Amino acid sequence: MKRITVKQLFTDPAAYASQEITVAGWARTIRASNAFGFIELNDGSYLKNLQVVIEAEKLDNYKELAKQNVGASFCVTGTLVLTPEAKQPFEL
């Protein structure tokens, strides 16, 4: 699957809405609880970060992901969901 940049997502999020996409970059922040967490991912193509939602029930390696440090690199494949009612316009 072709890698999409964070800049491409912020430029035209509707073009990728509800599609499975792949992004790669490094973690700016990681916040996690026992059930779910968030990774703010940046690939250097844009100033803003992409919020990646991780869920324990959907990922076999959730605990390992939640323990990573800022600066860890990730390659993530998931569905882009538009979230106009939230702080960020979309999340993966």
Side-chain angles (χ1 to χ4, degrees):
M1 182 172 281
K2 183 182 174 195
R3 182 178 151 238
I4 305 298
T5 65
V6 173
K7 182 177 181 177
Q8 288 173 291
L9 294 176
F10 275 95
T11 300
D12 190 9
Y16 302 100
S18 302
Q19 292 185 29
E20 187 172 276
I21 62 170
T22 300
V23 294
W26 60 91
R28 300 293 295 263
T29 65
I30 300 175
R31 304 178 315 276
S33 67
N34 289 334
F36 63 93
F38 302 98
I39 300 171
E40 293 289 327
L41 193 75
N42 194 291
D43 64 3
S45 67
Y46 201 66
L47 291 175
K48 294 183 181 180
N49 302 319
L50 170 64
Q51 179 167 278
V52 177
V53 179
I54 55 174
E55 298 178 66
E57 65 182 36
K58 294 183 180 180
L59 296 168
D60 293 334
N61 62 343
Y62 174 81
K63 288 184 180 182
E64 183 181 333
L65 292 174
K67 290 180 183 178
Q68 295 302 309
N69 294 317
V70 171
S73 63
F74 291 94
C75 183
V76 181
T77 299
T79 303
L80 188 74
V81 178
L82 299 180
T83 56
E85 68 285 348
K87 183 177 85 171
Q88 71 284 343
F90 49 82
E91 61 190 18
L92 190 63

